[in-house]
Amino acid sequence: MAQVQKGEHRNMYPPIEPYDTGFLKVSEIHTIYYEQSGNKVGNPVVFVHGGPGSGTNPIERSFFDPEAYRIILFDQRGAGKSTPSAELKENTTWDLVEDMEKLRNHLAIDRWVVFGGSWGSSLSLAYSETHPENVKALVVRGIFTLRRQVKEIEELEWFYEGKGANMLFPDYWEEFVNFIPEVERGSLMNAYYRRLISEDEEIKCRASQIWSKWEQATSHLFINQEKLEKPFSQKLWALQFSRIECHYFIHGGFFKYENQLIKDVDKIRHIPGTIIQGRYDVVCPMDTAWQLHKNWPEAEFIIAPDCGHNSQEPGIRTLLLNASDKYKYLK
């Protein structure tokens, strides 16, 4: 059975600076940014960011005890400081999985704890199911598997095609849908994709801002007004985020078969794991986490009863810190 966590909320560990930063060339086209902080000889943990396309944030170092962990953050292809920015060529889930392996080998790490939320949970699961021998433990939050064709489980349609989330946020949905002419609304994701790959910079910029604003509006239990300004104040971030995200979504995450991440969970059931889910997560509804829990009953499953999607909501933040602490001395 799922556990419901109660108690006082925790603050993040104090801010820290990296002791090492670098760029790793992972293909003829792509070079990824990475950084290390915390204890140089500590337990290695890799933070897998969401989006895809969002890039990492310095605050994410602070999910981990810097005295215990060797903390690795990296920006996925086309995101954050990785180059070329917002590039879609050679940018698939399986490219990213192998980038993680290249980074692990580059840093001479035997095994590491894998920690990711939202799309980061997707990539963490894909990596762990591909390379289970290299994973000490797995912490995933806001579970997302890009399912589209499973009957009654349409994650992408729920959020981007007007089949659920729009009914909870009709005010913000109106701007999202009205940007697309009525004749193209049979597939909003495809309509946005055409604009996000357009050579018209004005159209591309505007599409990226509206796409990103929709997700920012829905990511918290209570709308964070400051986050609504981010797509307009950080235009490069909005372009990276929206282009790469839409690219992955219209291709179904580049998975080899439908519902792959859930079907392949037997490959990781021996790995210690924690699944954390906000009860009122609109971006990644709880049904997906529930399906993962049922297929991976050995993993700890915890519901944040008063949270949505964002990792900095107090309940989710506390659960993530607790999970991080749980594995910090794991051999």
Side-chain angles (χ1 to χ4, degrees):
M1 294 294 293
Q3 302 176 46
V4 178
Q5 183 79 7
K6 296 181 180 179
E8 294 185 3
H9 293 142
R10 292 182 59 183
N11 294 320
M12 301 283 276
Y13 282 100
I16 54 172
E17 293 299 317
Y19 64 77
D20 174 48
T21 63
F23 290 88
L24 178 64
K25 191 166 181 60
V26 290
S27 78
E28 291 187 4
I29 296 175
H30 291 277
T31 299
I32 62 169
Y33 167 80
Y34 69 88
E35 63 175 55
Q36 301 187 81
S37 56
N39 184 345
K40 293 182 181 181
V41 294
N43 188 14
V45 60
V46 60
F47 180 91
V48 186
H49 71 68
S54 67
T56 54
N57 187 308
I59 196 174
E60 290 155 349
R61 303 168 193 148
S62 298
F63 278 117
F64 312 101
D65 182 346
E67 295 185 2
Y69 275 115
R70 176 183 175 187
I71 305 159
I72 297 103
L73 272 61
F74 74 100
D75 291 332
Q76 296 160 29
R77 295 189 180 199
K81 297 177 183 178
S82 294
T83 60
S85 178
E87 179 58 65
L88 305 181
K89 294 177 183 176
E90 295 182 11
N91 199 337
T92 74
T93 301
W94 309 111
D95 291 317
L96 303 186
V97 164
E98 292 315 304
D99 288 352
M100 290 178 66
E101 265 300 271
K102 290 172 183 175
L103 180 60
R104 185 186 65 82
N105 286 314
H106 177 71
L107 298 177
I109 292 170
D110 180 22
R111 295 189 305 145
W112 51 9
V113 176
V114 178
F115 184 108
S118 193
W119 159 255
S121 76
S122 317
L123 182 54
S124 295
L125 288 166
Y127 172 82
S128 299
E129 290 171 0
T130 305
H131 299 286
E133 69 281 1
N134 300 328
V135 180
K136 286 187 178 184
L138 183 59
V139 178
V140 286
R141 183 268 313 167
I143 309 306
F144 182 45
T145 59
L146 288 81
R147 291 177 296 175
R148 188 165 186 174
Q149 303 300 327
V150 179
K151 186 178 180 181
E152 297 179 355
I153 306 171
E154 300 176 332
E155 293 170 285
L156 295 171
E157 274 75 2
W158 157 272
F159 193 68
Y160 290 106
E161 299 290 357
K163 295 187 178 180
N166 60 305
M167 298 187 73
L168 297 173
F169 293 87
D171 43 353
Y172 291 97
W173 175 256
E174 192 167 287
E175 181 180 12
F176 182 82
V177 72
N178 284 348
F179 180 69
I180 302 299
E182 190 170 354
V183 70
E184 295 184 66
R185 292 179 192 170
S187 176
L188 290 167
M189 284 187 288
N190 280 293
Y192 267 95
Y193 191 62
R194 286 191 288 273
R195 288 156 177 81
L196 291 167
I197 63 173
S198 170
E199 295 184 359
D200 186 319
E201 293 299 323
E202 184 177 348
I203 288 175
K204 184 162 60 176
C205 178
R206 184 62 180 156
S208 72
Q209 290 171 329
I210 294 174
W211 175 283
S212 303
K213 182 181 176 182
W214 166 242
E215 188 155 331
Q216 293 296 309
T218 53
S219 289
H220 295 257
L221 184 63
F222 299 106
I223 292 172
N224 185 320
Q225 294 296 329
E226 183 179 340
K227 289 291 184 70
L228 296 183
E229 296 303 317
K230 185 175 181 180
F232 305 95
S233 63
Q234 300 182 33
K235 293 182 180 180
L236 177 60
W237 173 85
L239 184 63
Q240 292 175 326
F241 178 70
S242 59
R243 267 173 60 91
I244 297 173
E245 197 169 68
C246 194
H247 169 69
Y248 273 72
F249 295 170
I250 67 165
H251 290 99
F254 301 94
F255 292 118
K256 299 168 185 175
Y257 42 88
E258 188 65 35
N259 206 22
Q260 180 177 345
L261 296 180
I262 301 294
K263 289 179 178 178
D264 283 358
V265 79
D266 280 351
K267 297 177 180 179
I268 61 169
R269 286 178 60 182
H270 63 287
I271 297 173
T274 299
I275 304 166
I276 295 167
Q277 180 70 33
R279 169 72 74 179
Y280 301 109
D281 189 335
V282 172
V283 180
C284 300
M286 186 179 140
D287 179 78
T288 304
W290 185 250
Q291 298 303 320
L292 179 62
H293 161 61
K294 290 201 299 183
N295 284 272
W296 187 15
E298 296 84 1
E300 181 182 28
F301 178 47
I302 312 175
I303 299 168
D306 55 352
C307 294
H309 182 69
N310 191 270
S311 64
Q312 286 300 318
E313 292 183 273
I316 290 179
R317 181 182 68 228
T318 297
L319 293 173
L320 288 171
L321 288 162
N322 291 346
S324 168
D325 284 352
K326 178 178 179 179
Y327 301 117
K328 65 184 179 181
Y329 296 123
L330 188 66
K331 299 297 184 182

